[in-house]
Amino acid sequence: MSTDVLTGPAKPAAAPGRPSARAPRLRGLLWLSLRQNRVVLRVLAVLLVLVSADLVWLHVSIGHIVGVLRRTGCYAPETWDGTTCWILLAPISRPNFWYLSVLQPLAAALPLLLGVFVGAPLLAQEYERGTIRLVRAQSVGPARWLAARLAVPGVAVLVVSGVFACLMTWVWWTDIVHGPVAFDPPFQAFTYPALGVAPVAWSLFALALGVLVGQLCRRVVPAMLLTGALVAALGGLAFWARPHFWPAVEATGPVGTYQPTNAWLVDRMLVLADGSRVRTSACLDSDPCAKADTVWLRYHPAGHLVPVQLVEAGGLLLLTVAVLAVVFRRLRRS
């Protein structure tokens, strides 16, 4: 794959006096990049078609069941004790389970998979096989070669993650979060990375990070392992820092007050008589805590999902640009 030259396939000579009947074909760097990434493109295309069809099927299935429940007066939870309503409600558990337990974890793991299987081998295999030296022998510069080498997988990752994110968000807003049985808060572990711009931003960053790791390691397998570990570690770091991406709401209320439905509780403390705040776990069975009648809450309501994701995506895109700048700089020096 990496032994291809930077020219298109030779055209057969046209018959004298007759124009060529063949359609125009891609040539040069774009043709080479498509050819080198043809396996990746086919796998991503198959994955995109299967997941898209699955999500459309989920939307149609849940919509049909919800329509039946509404027409028969079985949509309200208080009617589910009846045998008839329970039988009509039962089929919705399968599509809900498929979305929450299969597709959401897949969406959360998508950036890691793209970084490991698309980004890491991109340059690592060129160094490992020694074909990176062919770049010096071509008529195009290293920067132009690398731009073409990155463009095709970059566009493919952008399209796949973008379509995946749009369909996941569409089904979540229309069928899951507003459905009669599913309770899926937006900041939940597998829900947040599957919605909005999160899958797209993380996928592009993981792809760029994999390319840089492959350039540094110059071996495919170590680059894939290190890329997976780095993406997973950075994902954990982002989860820890995420509450600070947007100002959280602070509120106080009587003991027993809880955050609103679907909100993400960041912190919860008891307010003592002197106005100080202390965690419940730090003063169990103590007299001041027993006398406290106020609780302090700090949380992100469901409406903070979009601004938190935009801040995180902006930071990831800046990191992506910085990582790619390092890759281009190192290629010129290699």
Side-chain angles (χ1 to χ4, degrees):
M1 180 169 66
S2 57
T3 56
D4 299 318
V5 295
L6 299 181
T7 58
K11 286 185 176 180
R18 296 180 58 188
S20 175
R22 298 185 62 179
R25 299 180 62 180
L26 295 174
R27 298 173 61 86
L29 288 174
L30 183 58
W31 171 83
L32 176 64
S33 185
L34 286 170
R35 184 175 176 82
Q36 288 179 315
N37 294 283
R38 60 187 184 278
V39 175
V40 171
L41 294 176
R42 289 169 183 167
V43 172
L44 291 179
V46 171
L47 176 66
L48 182 62
V49 170
L50 291 177
V51 173
S52 299
D54 200 11
L55 287 167
V56 172
W57 169 78
L58 280 175
H59 173 69
V60 173
S61 299
I62 298 177
H64 172 72
I65 297 170
V66 169
V68 171
L69 294 174
R70 291 185 184 278
R71 288 194 299 272
T72 55
C74 294
Y75 188 77
E78 53 268 22
T79 64
W80 297 345
D81 291 337
T83 304
T84 302
C85 290
W86 186 252
I87 292 174
L88 294 176
L89 177 68
I92 207 170
S93 60
R94 180 175 297 177
N96 275 342
F97 172 82
W98 185 254
Y99 180 87
L100 299 175
S101 302
V102 178
L103 293 180
Q104 276 193 354
L106 176 62
L110 181 65
L112 188 146
L113 297 176
L114 291 174
V116 170
F117 293 103
V118 180
L122 199 67
L123 293 185
Q125 63 181 354
E126 302 282 2
Y127 284 99
E128 188 173 79
R129 297 172 181 174
T131 51
I132 192 71
R133 293 191 294 269
L134 290 175
V135 177
R136 301 293 185 189
Q138 304 301 325
S139 58
V140 297
R144 187 182 169 193
W145 172 83
L146 180 58
R149 194 77 173 88
L150 294 175
V152 171
V155 172
V157 167
L158 180 63
V159 171
V160 169
S161 61
V163 173
F164 198 5
C166 289
L167 290 175
M168 288 291 291
T169 306
W170 173 56
V171 173
W172 184 79
W173 274 110
T174 57
D175 298 327
I176 302 299
V177 77
H178 295 148
V181 293
F183 179 74
D184 190 31
F187 289 102
Q188 195 162 267
F190 286 133
T191 305
Y192 179 91
L195 302 178
V197 297
V200 181
W202 273 102
S203 296
L204 292 177
F205 172 70
L207 175 69
L209 182 63
V211 172
L212 176 60
V213 172
Q215 190 182 42
L216 295 173
C217 290
R218 303 192 175 193
R219 293 290 186 273
V220 174
V221 174
M224 295 173 70
L225 295 175
L226 184 57
T227 298
L230 286 176
V231 173
L234 292 173
L237 182 63
F239 180 78
W240 172 78
R242 193 166 294 151
H244 308 289
F245 289 165
W246 193 256
V249 175
E250 296 185 5
T252 57
V255 173
T257 301
Y258 295 95
Q259 70 276 16
T261 303
N262 287 342
W264 180 17
L265 180 64
V266 177
D267 211 348
R268 178 188 178 92
M269 294 186 181
L270 286 174
V271 181
L272 303 182
D274 59 357
S276 61
R277 295 193 292 255
V278 62
R279 300 186 187 283
T280 306
S281 57
C283 63
L284 290 174
D285 300 329
S286 68
D287 189 57
C289 290
K291 294 180 180 178
D293 58 357
T294 304
V295 66
W296 172 81
L297 303 174
R298 184 166 171 264
Y299 62 87
H300 283 290
H304 284 191
L305 174 65
V306 173
V308 170
Q309 283 201 334
L310 289 178
V311 172
E312 184 172 334
L316 287 171
L317 291 179
L318 289 177
L319 288 175
T320 301
V321 172
V323 169
L324 290 178
V326 174
V327 172
F328 275 90
R329 188 179 181 87
R330 286 185 55 83
L331 183 67
R332 291 193 186 98
R333 293 181 175 180
S334 63

